Amino acid sequence: MNLQAIPFEWYLILAAVLFTIGAVGVVTRRNAIVVFMAIEMMLNSVNLVFISAAQFLGDINGQLFVLFVMAVAAGEAAVGLAIVLALFRNKRTVYVDEVNVLKW
């Protein structure tokens, strides 16, 4: 399918909806794994904007930024999962409001 057949504004609207769903998920959810999934959704919405802008502008820089965002997302997922596993081993819960490791 040709990317030019769909207006650029539709991609921006879809990315805004995905980002909003991700932001609401980060703010309202208690489970740390769901929070990380919401953050990944927000990063993917930014990737959608980069890819669509690169296609419509005829420039490859947006695709290069997507590679960097994907690398950051992979690192965030690995570190986040390691933190969740460590918290579950110590506290026996993955709910972020029940974890108070940094309190005195």
Side-chain angles (χ1 to χ4, degrees), residues 71-88:
V72 168
E76 176 260 335
V79 170
L81 186 59
I83 291 172
V84 168
L85 287 174
L87 287 174
F88 183 74

Side-chain angles (χ1 to χ4, degrees), residues 47 50-51 60-74:
N47 282 342
F50 281 146
I51 290 292
I60 198 166
N61 289 334
Q63 295 176 5
L64 294 175
F65 278 116
V66 167
L67 289 175
F68 289 121
V69 171
M70 287 172 57
V72 168

Side-chain angles (χ1 to χ4, degrees), residues 10-28 34-50 69:
W10 290 13
Y11 288 105
L12 294 179
I13 291 169
L14 177 62
V17 168
L18 287 175
F19 193 87
T20 303
I21 292 171
V24 168
V26 167
V27 172
T28 61
V34 175
V35 170
F36 284 124
M37 287 174 44
I39 292 171
E40 291 291 329
M41 185 180 294
M42 293 167 63
L43 289 173
N44 283 329
S45 71
V46 172
N47 282 342
L48 178 63
V49 171
F50 281 146
V69 171

